[in-house]
Amino acid sequence: MLLEGFHTVKHALRFGAAVDPLLTTDLDAAVKLAESHAPDLVAAFAQATEVDQKAFTLRVGRTHPTGVAGFAERPELPFDRGAPVVLLDNPRNLGNFGAAIRVAAGLDAGGVISTGDVDPWHPNVLRGSAGLHFALPVAKAESLDFAGELIAFDAEGDLLKGPIPDDAVLAFGSERHGLSAEVRERATRIVRLPMRDKVSSYNLTTSVAMGLYHWAVHRAS
């Protein structure tokens, strides 16, 4: 997998990826960036291969503001059913898709799965997650037959109250089309997030963050 940018490489390294090769157009700058933003990884960035801009662009496909990129094998991580798994139902915006994975990793979700034709490991999705695909399982949904509750988030559902089970699957529809009929039919319950009147919807990433935060807060209380 292509890892574009310092932060994407940083997260991949932190979560166990073997980044090889690790490329930079300015080794001193890459090390200084690690010293200020990832002191735990200074030694790893010091081993990067310095190449000129032409060689970098040839290998990566384009330039990057940080002058850092790398390559790593896609990890095979087991899904943790001790934390909710996020189901993204036919996501269309690749940046939002990646940002939702980033939020899920930050809130320690059990994994992220998706329906639809977008590859969850598309380079633009990986860029949007800042490399946090390597922090939790990310895959296409093989079916909608899940053990535990399938809780679907929709503006027309009942207000989300009380704890979310640790083994739940939390489904979020695309911002334009919402949830598919199949996910609605299979949902154990359909819930909504608090929202002011006349506001039509939240950004996908915001919805995922709010849903997982609700789980985390109730779990800790």
Side-chain angles (χ1 to χ4, degrees), residues 87-104:
L87 168 62
L88 302 179
D89 188 17
N90 196 25
R92 310 309 301 164
N93 184 292
L94 303 188
N96 285 346
F97 194 164
I101 292 170
R102 185 173 184 173
V103 161

Side-chain angles (χ1 to χ4, degrees), residues 1-220:
M1 307 301 302
L2 169 62
L3 310 174
E4 294 184 66
F6 173 84
H7 294 291
T8 300
V9 171
K10 172 191 73 178
H11 283 134
L13 287 168
R14 278 185 174 161
F15 288 96
V19 180
D20 185 24
L22 171 51
L23 305 175
T24 180
T25 56
D26 188 331
L27 184 58
D28 288 341
V31 170
K32 288 179 180 177
L33 200 54
E35 288 173 344
S36 61
H37 289 78
D40 54 315
L41 297 174
V42 169
F45 279 97
Q47 297 301 313
T49 299
E50 187 174 62
V51 295
D52 62 25
Q53 195 68 255
K54 182 178 179 180
F56 185 93
T57 304
L58 183 64
R59 189 67 188 272
V60 176
R62 58 181 173 182
T63 60
H64 192 277
T66 62
V68 173
F71 294 84
E73 293 292 330
R74 175 175 168 174
E76 296 294 336
L77 302 175
F79 280 86
D80 175 10
R81 294 312 305 273
V85 170
V86 172
L87 168 62
L88 302 179
D89 188 17
N90 196 25
R92 310 309 301 164
N93 184 292
L94 303 188
N96 285 346
F97 194 164
I101 292 170
R102 185 173 184 173
V103 161
L107 285 163
D108 205 15
V112 177
I113 54 178
S114 64
T115 65
D117 57 3
V118 174
D119 179 4
W121 282 83
H122 187 284
N124 291 349
V125 181
L126 184 57
R127 188 183 309 117
S129 81
L132 283 164
H133 279 64
F134 290 83
L136 77 174
V138 176
K140 292 288 287 287
E142 296 180 357
S143 77
L144 295 179
D145 295 324
F146 303 113
E149 276 200 88
L150 172 55
I151 303 173
F153 286 74
D154 185 88
E156 297 179 0
D158 297 324
L159 183 65
L160 176 61
K161 295 180 179 179
I164 291 174
D166 290 345
D167 64 349
V169 175
L170 310 183
F172 301 86
S174 68
E175 290 151 328
R176 177 171 294 185
H177 301 293
L179 293 165
S180 65
E182 186 178 8
V183 169
R184 285 177 176 276
E185 290 170 4
R186 291 177 177 269
T188 308
R189 52 179 161 141
I190 298 178
V191 300
R192 62 181 171 87
L193 297 164
M195 186 183 297
R196 181 181 178 180
D197 289 343
K198 300 181 183 180
V199 176
S200 59
S201 66
Y202 290 119
N203 175 276
L204 172 63
T205 309
T206 301
S207 296
V208 172
M210 292 174 71
L212 287 172
Y213 183 75
H214 181 97
W215 162 73
V217 167
H218 280 271
R219 190 190 203 196

